[in-house]
Coordinates of all heavy atoms in Angstrom, one line a residue:
Chain B
C431 N -50.3 -55.2 114.1 CA -49.8 -54.4 115.2 C -49.8 -52.9 114.8 O -50.3 -52.0 115.6 CB -48.4 -54.8 115.5 SG -47.7 -54.0 117.0
R432 N -49.3 -52.6 113.6 CA -49.3 -51.3 113.1 C -50.8 -50.8 113.1 O -51.0 -49.6 113.5 CB -48.9 -51.5 111.7 CG -48.1 -50.5 111.0 CD -47.9 -51.0 109.6 NE -48.3 -50.0 108.6 CZ -48.1 -50.1 107.3 NH1 -47.7 -51.2 106.8 NH2 -48.5 -49.1 106.5
S433 N -51.7 -51.6 112.6 CA -53.1 -51.1 112.5 C -53.7 -50.9 113.9 O -54.5 -49.9 114.0 CB -53.9 -52.2 111.8 OG -53.4 -52.4 110.5
L434 N -53.4 -51.7 114.8 CA -53.9 -51.6 116.1 C -53.6 -50.2 116.7 O -54.5 -49.5 117.2 CB -53.4 -52.7 117.1 CG -53.9 -52.6 118.5 CD1 -55.4 -53.1 118.5 CD2 -53.1 -53.4 119.4
V435 N -52.3 -49.9 116.7 CA -51.9 -48.6 117.3 C -52.4 -47.4 116.5 O -52.9 -46.4 117.0 CB -50.4 -48.5 117.5 CG1 -50.0 -49.5 118.6 CG2 -49.6 -48.8 116.3
Q436 N -52.4 -47.6 115.2 CA -52.9 -46.6 114.3 C -54.4 -46.3 114.5 O -54.8 -45.2 114.6 CB -52.7 -47.1 112.8 CG -53.5 -46.3 111.8 CD -52.8 -45.0 111.5 OE1 -51.6 -44.9 111.4 NE2 -53.6 -43.9 111.4
G437 N -55.1 -47.4 114.7 CA -56.5 -47.3 115.0 C -56.8 -46.6 116.3 O -57.6 -45.7 116.4
M438 N -56.1 -47.0 117.4 CA -56.3 -46.4 118.7 C -56.0 -44.9 118.6 O -56.7 -44.0 119.1 CB -55.5 -47.1 119.7 CG -56.0 -48.5 120.0 SD -55.4 -49.2 121.6 CE -53.8 -49.6 121.2
A439 N -54.9 -44.6 117.9 CA -54.5 -43.1 117.8 C -55.6 -42.4 117.0 O -56.0 -41.3 117.5 CB -53.2 -43.0 117.1
T440 N -56.0 -42.9 115.9 CA -57.0 -42.2 115.1 C -58.3 -42.0 115.9 O -58.9 -40.9 115.9 CB -57.4 -43.1 113.9 OG1 -56.2 -43.3 113.1 CG2 -58.4 -42.3 113.0
I441 N -58.8 -43.0 116.6 CA -60.0 -43.0 117.3 C -59.9 -41.9 118.5 O -60.8 -41.1 118.7 CB -60.4 -44.4 117.9 CG1 -60.8 -45.3 116.8 CG2 -61.5 -44.2 118.9 CD1 -61.0 -46.7 117.2
E442 N -58.8 -42.0 119.1 CA -58.6 -41.0 120.2 C -58.5 -39.6 119.7 O -59.1 -38.7 120.2 CB -57.3 -41.3 121.0 CG -57.1 -40.4 122.2 CD -56.1 -40.8 123.2 OE1 -55.9 -42.0 123.3 OE2 -55.5 -40.0 123.9
L443 N -57.7 -39.4 118.6 CA -57.6 -38.0 118.1 C -58.9 -37.5 117.5 O -59.1 -36.3 117.4 CB -56.5 -38.0 117.0 CG -55.1 -38.2 117.5 CD1 -54.1 -37.8 116.4 CD2 -54.8 -37.4 118.7
A444 N -59.8 -38.4 117.1 CA -61.1 -38.0 116.5 C -62.0 -37.7 117.6 O -63.2 -37.3 117.4 CB -61.6 -39.1 115.6
G445 N -61.6 -37.8 118.9 CA -62.5 -37.5 120.0 C -63.6 -38.6 120.2 O -64.6 -38.3 120.7
R446 N -63.3 -39.8 119.7 CA -64.3 -40.8 119.8 C -64.0 -41.8 120.9 O -64.5 -42.9 120.8 CB -64.3 -41.6 118.4 CG -64.9 -40.7 117.3 CD -66.4 -40.8 117.2 NE -67.1 -39.6 116.8 CZ -67.0 -39.1 115.6 NH1 -66.5 -39.8 114.6 NH2 -67.6 -38.0 115.3
L447 N -63.2 -41.5 121.8 CA -62.9 -42.4 122.9 C -63.4 -41.8 124.2 O -63.2 -40.7 124.6 CB -61.3 -42.5 123.0 CG -60.8 -43.8 123.4 CD1 -61.3 -44.9 122.5 CD2 -59.3 -43.8 123.3
A448 N -64.3 -42.6 124.9 CA -64.8 -42.2 126.1 C -63.6 -42.1 127.2 O -62.7 -42.9 127.0 CB -65.8 -43.2 126.6
P449 N -63.7 -41.2 128.1 CA -62.7 -41.0 129.1 C -62.2 -42.4 129.7 O -61.1 -42.6 130.0 CB -63.3 -40.1 130.1 CG -64.3 -39.3 129.3 CD -64.8 -40.3 128.3
A450 N -63.3 -43.2 130.0 CA -63.0 -44.5 130.7 C -62.1 -45.4 129.8 O -61.2 -46.1 130.3 CB -64.3 -45.2 131.1
E451 N -62.4 -45.3 128.5 CA -61.6 -46.1 127.6 C -60.2 -45.7 127.4 O -59.4 -46.5 126.9 CB -62.4 -46.1 126.2 CG -63.7 -46.9 126.2 CD -64.4 -46.7 124.8 OE1 -64.6 -45.6 124.4 OE2 -64.7 -47.7 124.2
R452 N -60.0 -44.4 127.7 CA -58.6 -43.9 127.4 C -57.6 -44.7 128.2 O -56.5 -44.8 127.6 CB -58.6 -42.4 127.8 CG -57.6 -41.6 127.0 CD -58.1 -40.2 126.8 NE -59.4 -40.1 126.1 CZ -60.0 -39.0 125.7 NH1 -59.5 -37.8 126.0 NH2 -61.2 -39.0 125.2
D453 N -57.9 -45.2 129.4 CA -56.9 -45.9 130.1 C -56.7 -47.3 129.6 O -55.8 -48.0 129.9 CB -57.3 -46.0 131.6 CG -57.5 -44.6 132.2 OD1 -56.7 -43.8 131.9 OD2 -58.4 -44.5 133.0
D454 N -57.7 -47.8 128.8 CA -57.6 -49.1 128.2 C -56.7 -49.3 127.0 O -56.4 -50.4 126.6 CB -59.1 -49.6 127.8 CG -59.9 -50.0 129.0 OD1 -59.3 -50.5 129.9 OD2 -61.1 -49.8 128.9
V455 N -56.2 -48.1 126.6 CA -55.3 -48.2 125.4 C -54.1 -49.1 125.7 O -53.8 -50.0 124.9 CB -54.9 -46.7 125.0 CG1 -53.7 -46.8 124.1 CG2 -56.0 -46.0 124.4
A456 N -53.4 -48.8 126.8 CA -52.3 -49.6 127.2 C -52.7 -51.1 127.4 O -52.0 -52.0 127.0 CB -51.6 -49.1 128.4
V457 N -53.8 -51.3 128.1 CA -54.3 -52.6 128.4 C -54.5 -53.4 127.1 O -54.1 -54.5 126.9 CB -55.6 -52.6 129.2 CG1 -56.1 -54.0 129.5 CG2 -55.4 -51.8 130.5
A458 N -55.2 -52.7 126.1 CA -55.5 -53.4 124.9 C -54.2 -53.7 124.1 O -54.1 -54.8 123.6 CB -56.4 -52.4 124.0
L459 N -53.3 -52.8 124.1 CA -52.0 -53.1 123.5 C -51.3 -54.3 124.1 O -50.8 -55.2 123.4 CB -51.1 -51.9 123.5 CG -49.8 -52.1 122.8 CD1 -49.9 -52.5 121.3 CD2 -48.9 -50.8 122.9

Side-chain angles (χ1 to χ4, degrees):
Chain B
C431 188
R432 212 181 129 178
S433 301
L434 180 74
V435 293
Q436 167 76 40
M438 289 199 287
T440 302
I441 290 173
E442 182 167 335
L443 292 193
R446 291 275 146 73
L447 216 51
E451 289 174 304
R452 208 148 303 184
D453 301 323
D454 281 330
V455 167
V457 178
L459 180 57

